[in-house]
Amino acid sequence: MASLSTPPLRNGLVVVGGLVVVQPLRKRHCAECRRGPLALLVVEGGVPRCLDCVDLGHLVFLPRGDTALTRRAREESALSAVVVRFNRRRGRYERQGVLVEEAGLARAEERCLADAEARRRRRVRDAGRRAVEDMRFTEAFAAEIRRLFPGCPQERARTIAAHASLRGSGRVGRSAAGRALSEGAVVSAVLASVRHVDTPYDQLLMSGVPRHEARRRITAGVERVLRDWRDVPP
């Protein structure tokens, strides 16, 4: 174990420029005031001492886990210490958290809350921006459907475009070709819609018909719908 003023340099832990407090693995009592067993102690002069006897008793424990809060709590505290415990299995001391001033911790929490609110507002702004982008892209996709298939009802074109371009869906509208509004991607989206909406394809699958056979059976129906949507008198 290390003294109050000397960071532990053995057993895999190096703490630079700070005080070190130990969580003991076995019951220890303060060599000065005899209180114990101690949850936290400092080895000073080769013997364990409680936090009160080494003038650290006013500090509060902040467990490890929140890196930003820990960093800011130490920044806001004039006095702080690293808390360590020996891991027998790994044969080394490991950080458990820090001791910081209560007022410093409160200020650090306020800073983190302010950041959290800022992040929340940024997420809201980003979500709004993405919604606008998605709406514009869906409109462009629907317009391309109508260009290739002028007989496709306008509302149907919007429905196909919205389905194909749903963010995070992995559908053809989100592919590179779809984002580029390539003819192949647009036709593929229309084909999929006609297959599921305008033919008994889904019912065939549910009745156990293999996919390739189900597609063969509905080919004529799909081609008829596409022909009607393409062949619109000028």
Side-chain angles (χ1 to χ4, degrees):
M1 294 182 183
S3 70
L4 177 65
S5 57
T6 304
L9 303 177
R10 296 175 297 173
N11 301 312
L13 179 71
V14 178
V15 180
V16 180
L19 306 179
V20 179
V21 172
V22 176
Q23 286 182 346
L25 298 179
R26 54 193 177 89
K27 294 181 180 180
R28 305 294 296 273
H29 288 71
C30 179
E32 187 169 333
C33 69
R34 312 308 301 172
R35 284 188 298 174
L38 302 174
L40 296 171
L41 61 84
V42 171
V43 176
E44 188 179 60
V47 295
R49 300 182 188 274
C50 70
L51 298 188
D52 286 332
C53 287
V54 295
D55 301 323
L56 299 180
H58 64 294
L59 301 181
V60 295
F61 180 57
L62 174 61
R64 66 180 181 180
D66 190 326
T67 303
L69 180 59
T70 296
R71 173 175 53 81
R72 287 173 171 173
R74 297 193 75 181
E75 291 172 354
E76 295 286 351
S77 298
L79 183 65
S80 65
V82 175
V83 178
V84 302
R85 182 172 61 203
F86 190 72
N87 186 319
R88 288 197 180 101
R89 182 173 61 84
R90 296 182 177 179
R92 67 187 186 190
Y93 284 100
E94 295 178 339
R95 296 172 185 259
Q96 303 303 307
V98 293
L99 291 174
V100 293
E101 295 172 338
E102 189 169 5
L105 177 57
R107 289 191 294 269
E109 289 172 336
E110 289 176 359
R111 289 172 61 186
C112 287
L113 285 173
D115 275 1
E117 176 62 17
R119 287 194 298 270
R120 185 193 68 79
R121 292 179 180 178
R122 184 165 58 249
R123 286 195 299 270
V124 170
R125 289 196 302 271
D126 290 345
R129 175 182 51 78
R130 288 192 297 269
V132 171
E133 291 174 353
D134 289 349
M135 181 180 66
R136 290 174 177 169
F137 176 67
T138 298
E139 290 174 353
F141 202 98
E144 188 64 9
I145 291 173
R146 292 274 293 164
R147 186 185 72 81
L148 295 172
F149 300 94
C152 177
Q154 188 170 356
E155 191 57 37
R156 180 67 180 277
R158 288 199 190 99
T159 300
I160 295 172
H163 180 80
S165 61
L166 181 65
R167 185 180 292 269
S169 66
R171 296 173 187 141
V172 66
R174 303 307 302 186
S175 66
R179 299 296 293 177
L181 296 178
S182 75
E183 182 172 333
V186 174
V187 171
S188 178
V190 173
L191 276 171
S193 177
V194 171
R195 186 182 298 130
H196 290 287
V197 176
D198 301 289
T199 75
Y201 180 66
D202 291 352
Q203 292 89 331
L204 291 173
L205 293 180
M206 290 298 292
S207 66
V209 177
R211 180 172 61 86
H212 293 294
E213 173 61 18
R215 287 197 175 191
R216 187 191 67 78
R217 294 186 190 182
I218 65 167
T219 297
V222 170
E223 290 178 348
R224 184 171 55 254
V225 173
L226 296 184
R227 185 171 56 251
D228 290 343
W229 285 359
R230 278 196 178 104
D231 300 335
V232 176

